């Protein structure tokens, strides 16, 4: 890294939101990955990909924003990364959070592919 290079003022951390619509106990977001996504830096030069940990963070971020998720992370299970998410790729993020179960089900997919999926468990912050 060049120490004299200016720091990027507003790094792009999230995909572009194209649209959204409600689903059973959740929401489906239509998203597009920007070419200048900050997480591409150093995550691989020849073919930049969205790291799995970023996909998990996005699922939690959007669940907090659109589903009112306020609980504290507990653990994850059945997390599978099947296909790469690449620059300028369009996809849907399906989020389902049945509050009684305290788990967030996420799925990154298109009409023809499933990119990743899993369950993130939470516990009530007031407990």
């Amino acid at each position: 890294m060049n120490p004299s290079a200016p720091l990027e003022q507003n790094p792009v951390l999230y995909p572009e939101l194209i649209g959204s619509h409600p689903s059973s106990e959740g929401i489906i977001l239509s998203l597009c990955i920007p070419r200048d996504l900050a997480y591409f830096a150093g995550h691989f030069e020849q073919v930049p990909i969205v790291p799995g940990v970023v996909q998990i963070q996005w699922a939690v971020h959007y669940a907090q924003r659109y589903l009112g998720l306020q609980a504290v992370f507990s653990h994850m299970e059945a997390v599978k990364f099947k296909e790469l998410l690449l620059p300028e790729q369009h996809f849907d993020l399906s989020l389902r959070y049945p509050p009684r179960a305290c788990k967030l089900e996420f799925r990154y997919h298109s009409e023809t592919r499933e990119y990743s999926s899993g369950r993130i468990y939470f516990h009530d912050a007031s407990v």
Side-chain angles (χ1 to χ4, degrees):
M1 183 172 177
N2 180 353
S4 63
L7 295 176
E8 188 174 345
Q9 293 297 317
N10 295 310
V12 178
L13 302 176
Y14 297 98
E16 177 185 354
L17 178 63
I18 306 298
S20 66
H21 61 277
S23 69
S24 173
E25 296 186 68
I27 192 165
I28 298 173
L29 304 172
S30 295
L31 303 166
C32 180
I33 299 173
R35 182 160 285 289
D36 60 346
L37 185 72
Y39 302 111
F40 288 148
H43 203 81
F44 300 107
E45 280 186 41
Q46 299 299 328
V47 179
I49 64 170
V50 177
V53 68
V54 172
Q55 294 176 47
I56 301 290
Q57 190 272 334
W58 285 349
V60 172
H61 167 80
Y62 287 117
Q64 290 170 334
R65 184 170 183 181
Y66 291 98
L67 303 178
L69 177 65
Q70 297 295 317
V72 176
F73 174 84
S74 172
H75 64 281
M76 296 183 294
E77 71 177 18
V79 176
K80 297 178 180 149
F81 301 101
K82 299 176 181 180
E83 298 279 338
L84 301 177
L85 285 174
L86 305 169
E88 299 181 347
Q89 192 160 15
H90 288 77
F91 61 94
D92 289 334
L93 170 56
S94 295
L95 298 171
R96 186 174 174 270
Y97 185 70
R100 298 185 120 202
C102 290
K103 71 178 172 183
L104 172 65
E105 299 169 2
F106 71 91
R107 192 170 139 244
Y108 290 86
H109 59 96
S110 68
E111 288 184 18
T112 59
R113 291 189 171 157
E114 181 166 277
Y115 299 99
S116 62
S117 63
R119 294 183 293 273
I120 305 169
Y121 287 81
F122 296 87
H123 56 82
D124 191 337
S126 63
V127 176

